[in-house]
Amino acid sequence: MNLEELKPEVKSIIDRVQLTVNERLLKLCELLENHVEYYNWVGFYFKNGDKDELKLGPYVGEPTDHTIIPFGKGICGQVAVSNQNFVVPDVSAQDNYIACSITVKAEIVIPIFVNGENIGQIDIDSNTPNPFTEADERFLEFICKEVAQILE
């Protein structure tokens, strides 16, 4: 299934108002991890109250010790500060990278904005070197806009 074909599935999950926000976010993680072969860890991080740190939300994949990430640390922490997408084709080439697993080769992080404020992000790790394209960025931006609607 290509990324465009997943968009109606994403909307369907977002529209399931009988589910909690976290249940819908987890279903999105499962959808992506199950249908995009190079998405090996999919999760959400959100700003932790008024602290300058991110807190792990729903995710699928290997368990992680990184449940709290300070702003500026690692790829996720940098996105919390920069408000910009961050695509890392080769994590071993990054100085400010927090290793979750030795199998991870690449990472993409896209911020989620609610009312112009960066409130969190979707984080995807891949065990495939350099798998992410502009199509992944656009698709994940679409997901973040959909997610923002249920977080407002």
Side-chain angles (χ1 to χ4, degrees):
M1 194 175 278
N2 75 31
L3 300 177
E4 286 301 309
E5 291 170 339
L6 287 174
K7 285 184 174 182
E9 297 288 324
V10 169
K11 283 189 171 287
S12 170
I13 291 168
I14 293 292
D15 291 342
R16 290 189 202 163
V17 293
Q18 72 276 20
L19 299 178
T20 67
V21 169
N22 276 351
E23 287 170 333
R24 287 183 268 177
L25 293 177
L26 182 59
K27 288 203 173 295
L28 286 174
C29 293
E30 291 167 346
L31 175 78
L32 296 179
E33 198 264 343
N34 288 332
H35 292 286
V36 185
E37 68 181 56
Y38 53 93
Y39 287 12
N40 302 112
W41 190 97
V42 180
F44 290 93
Y45 281 93
F46 293 101
K47 189 171 188 305
N48 191 10
D50 59 0
K51 300 176 185 165
D52 285 344
E53 64 185 25
L54 297 165
K55 185 175 183 179
L56 181 62
Y59 75 94
V60 294
E62 298 265 331
T64 179
D65 293 335
H66 304 114
T67 56
I68 300 290
I69 298 176
F71 281 12
K73 187 146 176 58
I75 307 307
C76 291
Q78 290 176 75
V79 169
V81 174
S82 73
N83 300 324
Q84 302 288 316
N85 297 351
F86 201 155
V87 181
V88 182
D90 177 5
V91 295
S92 69
Q94 284 294 315
D95 291 338
N96 189 1
Y97 172 70
I98 302 171
C100 291
S101 166
I102 58 166
T103 60
V104 175
K105 304 288 186 237
E107 183 174 10
I108 185 169
V109 179
I110 308 293
I112 302 167
F113 294 96
V114 173
N115 300 321
E117 182 187 353
N118 181 348
I119 56 93
Q121 54 202 229
I122 190 168
D123 176 22
I124 298 177
D125 291 344
S126 180
N127 299 339
T128 304
N130 195 19
F132 304 116
T133 66
E134 189 172 324
D136 291 286
E137 270 193 89
R138 300 295 85 81
F139 175 64
L140 295 171
E141 287 170 350
F142 161 80
I143 289 175
C144 289
K145 285 185 180 119
E146 292 294 314
V147 165
Q149 294 175 29
I150 62 174
L151 298 175
E152 290 183 288

